[in-house]
Amino acid sequence: MSIRTALLASLAFLLPASVWAQTTPVEGLRENPSGVHALTGARIVVAPGRVIERGTLVIRNGVIEAVGANVAAPPDARVWDGSGLTLYPGFIDPYSAVGMRGELSRDDPERERGALYWNPQVRSHIDAVTELGPDEARLGRLRSQGFAVAMAVPQLGLFRGQTAVVSLGDESMALRVVRRGVAQSVTMGRDNQVGTGYPTSAMGGIAFIRQTLHDADWHMKSHAAYERNPRGVRRPEANAALAALAPALRKEQPLLFETRSEEEALRALRFREEFPVNLWIRGSGFEYRLADRFRGLDVPLILPVNFPEAPNVSSPERALNVSLGDLRHWHLAPENPKRLADARVEFAFTADGLGPRTSFVGNVRTAVERGLSRDVALAAMTTVPARYLGIDRTHGTLEQGKVANVVVAEGDLFADGSSIQAVFVDGKRFDAAAPAGVDPRGQWRIVAVGPARVQGTLTLAGTRAQLTGTFGAPGAEAKLSSARISGEAAQLQVAFPGDVLGHEGTVRLSASATASALSGWGELPDGTRFNWSGERIGDAPGATSGGASANGANGLDSEIGSRAARAAAIELPDVRPSMEYGRAGIPEQPANLLVRNATVWTMGPQGRLESADLLVTRGRVARVGQNLQAPAGAVVIDGSGKHVTPGLIDAHLHDGASGGINETGSAIVPEVRLGDVLTINNIWMYRHLAGGLTLAHVMHGSANPIGGQNQHVKMRWGALPEELKVEGAPRTVKFALGENVKRREDRYPDTRMGTEQIIRDHFLAAREYERRWQEWQRTPQGVPPRRDLRLQALVDILNGDILVQSHSYRQDEILMLMRLAEEFGFRIKAFHHTVEAYKVAPELAAHGAGAVVWTDWSSFKIEAYDGTTWNARVLRDAGVLTSLHSDNSQISSRMNWEAAKMLRTGLTPEEALALVTINTAKILGIDQRVGSLEAGKDADFVLWSGDPLSTSSKAEQTWVDGRRYFDLEEDRQLRERAERERAQLIQLILSQR
């Protein structure tokens, strides 16, 4: 090496990194702070599971130069005494809003610029690097919690844009970017900051994401086709937002979903089944409820530690308003990380969602307290997010050559009372908090000046951030009730029970502290004030400079132990859903089941049988008749004096879906699906079972001329959302007519005439769409057609693949929709509510439409005035297939009463019960499986205490698929369990106040 080369090399070694790493010219005199630091005598956690008990870490120009037990501090280094301190790798937050704007002004020019997507919710073209702005408050909070790096996630829109990893130092924006284009961020719901139109619901949001990904795929393929052969073809649209999603569809860039519940996580996972995407999930804190489903899934998971505050149970009245589900979540949320780790699910932690006064490290410490391994916890803050974000070669551990991001903690970070003293970011030190000017820990001889007889020994231990100790007088000793030192002036304040000095109440002392003396004033419980002084006489017994206990820094203090012990003493069973009556698992399905000697309402050709038996084999009805023989090992139920009916069915229900049942952002929305947003956290499902209901048709709301697709649901209480769906059931869609659809402000239509026209126009558009695809399939040349989920659903309606179930009231609109359907060559499956259906009963019968009606609801609005309780009877007599519905969760839990009301119109008991069993099954197109007790059908049945049409009868047992989902005796036990859990959790909350 030449002398010149050696000189340049030495200069590169000595000059600060910023000289070589930026293009911005220096104005005035250069700043040249020391870039060399040596932290000596510290405990160094190099990586999870790798610890140097006493060593030195050397930083030079933002990089770790050396680390080890025998490393000497370089002569040019600023030396920091690390005695009693622990060094950790700088934390990495993989989901943060740091530097990102949270609102978009109404007159922002961005709204009108660029070749972008039609809907402002799609902002995938936004790059966090170009969005990055000053955010000193958030930067300071993150650094004070130990973070040195974070992934900045744009915060606006539904498709939010590309994320970037940024350093949390105070250098220029250009120098802070670590890695750009890490992932595309998506949230599951609309952002009102950028628009209030479509989508307005959770199911609309999912449909919108699905359509946008299809559009991005089309955009990519159409441009490729145009580039291959542009002659004679109209060029496809340029769209920066769709083009930005292409890497995600090629698995070159992850698609990061923010979720707000465990069920949203399941919904996000389904996109991986529909599209070729590399999926990441920012969790919600509820994942412990689905730990078994996350097991084995190769999906990066980012967990918040925003554990809920204790519910307000300060009075018995307030406690009544707190659900068991909320109490359980408060108790179990801190176990979320531990339960996932036990299921071998890998995750990284994020501080996102924490309030400004909530400690990230404190909450992680709580998770450790509740059983999470310390190494797993540390990995979730360092090595795991580093690998997720693609920066593990330079970040995540304290190794030679890596970026000098270092957390300096007093004592063991996972021990109560430990605190973060400083964070090095890119080799620059940032104090996490102003350190106390004096370390007061030790033993002090206290003497009062004047008549107050206050003397004794004050012992201070713990850490400077969280002091503990005692006050000892001759023959007595009291634990300090509070102690703290604050400010550069080192103001010490302590309090302790006065009985140690013969006083009833609390003695308070306040003083200015130096290394060897205390001087201040105090107050006795009776208000007497006095001056006092203190002289240091020794160290605190068993204390170390780091504030650890005599058992070492890894030991939790007694208070942590007692809190953990109290929490561990409450053993909550793992149930799904995590609320009252939750199940530990799906009920057992007996191989053979015999209900003997009951009155069996088959609702099939056999009619009602007295003293009959029902034989069920593997979840299906095998036989119904008298004197059936039970196979060996069969479960036998004595039905003497009881009645057995098929499970009741409700054709029109709206509970069991989350995030809204109306997608009001557009008038025509058949692309949205209730099946995308089913929820198991729905107490009404259990109540329906208690009323004998085994199946419901969960419907879109009535805000749209053509609404969303409905979902047939079985009451499989405790199953997951996808497991609630009735296998093989036909697809149905909700239409709506009348007042509901025309009263939406600023949205066409606003008349009944307009309702007919918008439906017709969309039908015509669907036929044109179908023809374009047929032509493309015959001659696939040029640019392919765009896949339009809305028009495709309309094509399926026109072709009879989706059955129409229409909300209606007046006879004129009923006739209109039937005539319109006949014009386009299909039939309406059924009209719901249809208060005036009796006026057009012959026309309904001729069309082949069914009627789903109320027993006695009418006159609650003008269009429902002309009703009659004889509606169902008139329709039935005219040959219209008729059933009853609830449109109400309360009514749905007693549909047998609704059937019983029809006896007053002259129907027989069997004809009345058919209105909530076999007739409903036929109207929904599922009568081949349910609705009657016939051989081969699903074993959905109810054991009633008496006649099912009597208001004094109860559903004693409700069976679905040959599994007992409700039982009166079990219900009593579950009620007792719920009350016991509530009492335990409330007492735990009260004990921590």
Side-chain angles (χ1 to χ4, degrees), residues 460 467 479-484 493-496:
L460 295 174
L467 293 171
K479 184 177 180 181
L480 300 182
S481 53
S482 66
R484 67 188 181 94
Q493 295 178 333
V494 299
F496 55 88

Side-chain angles (χ1 to χ4, degrees), residues 101-273:
R101 55 178 168 171
E103 60 182 0
L104 193 66
S105 64
R106 296 298 176 189
D107 57 351
D108 195 309
E110 177 191 320
R111 293 178 180 273
E112 306 296 331
R113 301 180 69 87
L116 303 177
Y117 200 61
W118 66 272
N119 191 308
Q121 296 292 334
V122 178
R123 296 170 54 83
S124 44
H125 58 287
I126 296 297
D127 188 339
V129 170
T130 58
E131 286 283 287
L132 196 62
D135 198 352
E136 292 306 317
R138 190 178 275 114
L139 280 170
R141 285 199 301 270
L142 285 170
R143 287 195 299 256
S144 70
Q145 298 288 346
F147 290 99
V149 168
M151 182 165 78
V153 181
Q155 297 295 295
L156 297 173
L158 194 152
F159 281 84
R160 293 180 164 182
Q162 300 184 67
T163 66
V165 180
V166 297
S167 167
L168 300 181
D170 59 0
E171 296 181 296
S172 69
M173 301 299 178
L175 287 173
R176 286 175 50 205
V177 176
V178 177
R179 185 168 180 245
R180 67 186 305 172
V182 177
Q184 272 285 354
S185 175
V186 187
T187 187
M188 303 285 278
R190 184 188 72 187
D191 177 14
N192 290 336
Q193 287 288 337
V194 299
T196 56
Y198 180 86
T200 64
S201 64
M203 60 184 167
I206 292 173
F208 180 71
I209 293 171
R210 185 179 290 120
Q211 181 66 69
T212 303
L213 292 177
H214 278 301
D215 286 351
D217 181 65
W218 168 82
H219 185 270
M220 181 170 54
K221 292 176 179 177
S222 64
H223 277 271
Y226 183 76
E227 290 297 324
R228 287 193 300 268
N229 185 15
R231 292 177 64 85
V233 179
R234 181 178 175 83
R235 65 180 179 275
E237 69 175 69
N239 193 305
L242 294 180
L245 289 172
L249 290 172
R250 294 193 297 262
K251 285 193 171 183
E252 297 169 1
Q253 193 177 51
L255 202 59
L256 170 58
F257 277 88
E258 178 190 33
T259 62
R260 295 161 294 184
S261 70
E262 74 277 21
E263 291 177 325
E264 276 201 351
L266 291 179
R267 295 165 194 169
L269 286 169
R270 289 202 290 272
F271 281 104
R272 193 171 63 164
E273 300 169 4

Side-chain angles (χ1 to χ4, degrees), residues 85 117 126 158 184 290 342 428 512 517 643 688 707 711 715 811 833-834 851 861 901 980 985:
L85 302 176
Y117 200 61
I126 296 297
L158 194 152
Q184 272 285 354
L290 293 175
D342 288 349
K428 181 176 180 179
S512 296
H643 290 240
H688 295 330
Q711 184 63 54
M715 303 297 159
Q811 53 86 18
H833 311 330
T834 190
K861 56 181 176 178
K901 292 177 184 179
R980 185 167 58 252
L985 293 170

